[in-house]
Amino acid sequence: MPSVPSSPDLAHLLGHAERRIVQRLSAVLAEEDCTVEEWRVLSIVGDSQGRPMSEIADHALMPAPSLTKLVDRMVADNLVHRRPDPHDRRRVLLYLTARGDDLHRRAAHRVAADQARLLDAVDDDGALARLLSRLTVAAGAPSGSVPSGTRG
């Protein structure tokens, strides 16, 4: 069993947690022949709203050129398709295909089940996600200030 980091450094602790959770997610998604990066794209596009590449890149934590290559592969695999934005012809929106929707539903079920098991193991009732969201907002604030609503 890997050792638990003993550092009190928040970035170090979060880095270790993130690495292990992504490894776990990768193993769960491999059962559906899906990568973590593909999952991140599927998960944001799965709402059938059509998403611009810039929004997907932010959600997928990928630089735009890498995302474009990934989306090109996903288009070739018939998981997603591109359409011009009806409100701005300069933009392209990404949507799931029927095959992509099927993969998204299967993977979402596996991911949710695994995350429920993991959170149950630490007796979490949703507090961790709320705290991490608040921490993300606070970390994005200028140094020395904390946005309202992020304390206690």
Side-chain angles (χ1 to χ4, degrees), residues 3 21 24-25 52 54 91 104 106 118 143:
S3 65
I21 289 170
R24 184 180 178 115
L25 177 62
S54 58
R91 285 190 343 166
H104 175 252
R106 289 190 325 265
L118 183 58
S143 183

Side-chain angles (χ1 to χ4, degrees), residues 23-43:
Q23 288 171 342
R24 184 180 178 115
L25 177 62
S26 181
V28 167
L29 291 170
E31 296 173 23
E32 293 294 342
D33 197 26
C34 182
T35 67
V36 171
E37 292 78 15
E38 288 170 333
W39 167 246
R40 288 178 178 155
V41 172
L42 294 171
S43 69

Side-chain angles (χ1 to χ4, degrees), residues 130-151:
R130 288 189 300 275
L131 285 171
L132 287 172
S133 292
R134 289 172 43 203
L135 180 62
T136 300
V137 170
S143 183
S145 70
V146 178
S148 62
T150 60
R151 296 178 203 215

Side-chain angles (χ1 to χ4, degrees), residues 58-74:
D58 187 50
H59 179 81
L61 308 173
M62 296 178 76
S66 298
L67 176 65
T68 298
K69 289 176 187 172
L70 173 63
V71 168
D72 287 345
R73 286 193 307 272
M74 292 176 76

